[in-house]
Amino acid sequence: MRQEFSQELENLHVDFSELGMMVNAAVYKSAKAFINHDKELARQVIDHDHLINERQMSLEKRCFELIALQQPVTSDLRLVVTAMKASSDLERMGDHAVSIAKSTIRVKGNTRVPSIEAHLHKMSDAVKKMSDEVLDAYVHDDESRARAIATEDHGINDYSRQIYTECIQNMKEDKDTIVGGMDYMLVASYLERIGDYVTNICEWIVYLKTGKLVELNSSTDEDKF
């Protein structure tokens, strides 16, 4: 019975990793679509989102079943809770990837501002790096790396503020950039939120290792409990 339960936990671990790879691919494709004005790639992200939702719902259901039927304790329970909670963060990252894809379809070519798009490109690369790294940290149960990854979110926030400032300035100088500028700010906000969800997953990795819920990137990093 114990061996069967251990196999269930291993399967859960694998399923979470696969969900993470699906979400990371969606984030990458949505950002690439926006930067390259690729509406077809954007539609692929939108069309495939249901697969992420279905995988996350299936994983969550299995977590509830394991808790109800196996009544895991201590580290096993933390693994199940981490997979369930962090998978929800992954699903929300996928939702924001869809929002970026929808912005790609909306934005018109004559409203593009290359300098702002260059910042968005760098921002999306930084977000993709974070999302790739956090999945690897989860797979290797690496608390110290999770804490380090969370600090990268400060750079994501800096990009967001810079893009917002430049968009406002461009919109003041050229009213034709207002519609496009709004989408730039939206995309930056979506990328920023993805970074926030990556930080959430970092917090769950710390919980998995220590049993403590912490708030990373806060002024004090004090334990919530």
Side-chain angles (χ1 to χ4, degrees), residues 19-38:
L19 174 63
M21 288 187 285
M22 291 171 66
V23 170
N24 286 357
V27 171
Y28 171 76
K29 288 179 180 179
S30 66
K32 181 180 179 181
F34 188 84
I35 297 302
N36 295 335
H37 316 174
D38 190 338

Side-chain angles (χ1 to χ4, degrees), residues 65-105:
E65 289 174 347
L66 283 173
I67 292 172
L69 300 176
Q70 302 291 343
Q71 298 182 344
V73 295
T74 59
S75 61
D76 288 342
L77 179 60
R78 291 204 302 269
L79 194 154
V80 176
V81 170
T82 296
M84 182 170 61
K85 294 292 188 178
S87 70
S88 179
D89 289 321
L90 285 173
E91 190 272 333
R92 292 186 179 99
M93 289 166 61
D95 288 342
H96 287 304
V98 169
S99 296
I100 294 172
K102 289 179 178 178
S103 291
T104 300
I105 295 172

Side-chain angles (χ1 to χ4, degrees), residues 177-215:
T177 66
I178 290 176
V179 174
M182 292 296 294
D183 267 307
Y184 287 144
M185 288 189 289
L186 281 174
V187 169
S189 71
Y190 298 143
L191 290 170
E192 183 179 8
R193 289 300 295 146
I194 291 172
D196 291 339
Y197 285 122
V198 170
T199 299
N200 288 353
I201 296 173
C202 290
E203 293 171 356
W204 287 114
I205 293 171
V206 173
Y207 167 75
L208 177 61
K209 190 72 173 180
T210 67
K212 294 181 179 180
L213 290 171
V214 299
E215 186 173 344

Side-chain angles (χ1 to χ4, degrees), residues 126-192:
V127 169
K128 179 62 167 56
K129 178 174 177 288
M130 280 186 71
S131 61
D132 285 340
E133 288 176 342
V134 79
L135 190 60
D136 191 64
Y138 173 86
V139 168
H140 293 95
D141 193 19
D142 194 333
E143 175 199 354
S144 61
R145 189 175 182 195
R147 289 180 180 273
I149 293 167
T151 64
E152 297 176 22
D153 192 47
H154 297 304
I156 304 300
N157 295 338
D158 290 341
Y159 277 122
S160 183
R161 284 189 289 269
Q162 183 179 19
I163 290 167
Y164 177 85
T165 299
E166 291 197 22
C167 282
I168 294 298
Q169 185 61 38
N170 273 272
M171 290 159 70
K172 287 179 178 178
E173 295 174 356
D174 184 357
K175 65 180 182 180
D176 290 337
T177 66
I178 290 176
V179 174
M182 292 296 294
D183 267 307
Y184 287 144
M185 288 189 289
L186 281 174
V187 169
S189 71
Y190 298 143
L191 290 170
E192 183 179 8

Side-chain angles (χ1 to χ4, degrees), residues 103-121:
S103 291
T104 300
I105 295 172
R106 278 197 308 268
V107 174
K108 305 298 182 183
N110 59 358
T111 63
R112 297 278 183 169
V113 181
S115 60
I116 296 176
E117 291 195 357
H119 294 314
L120 280 169
H121 193 176

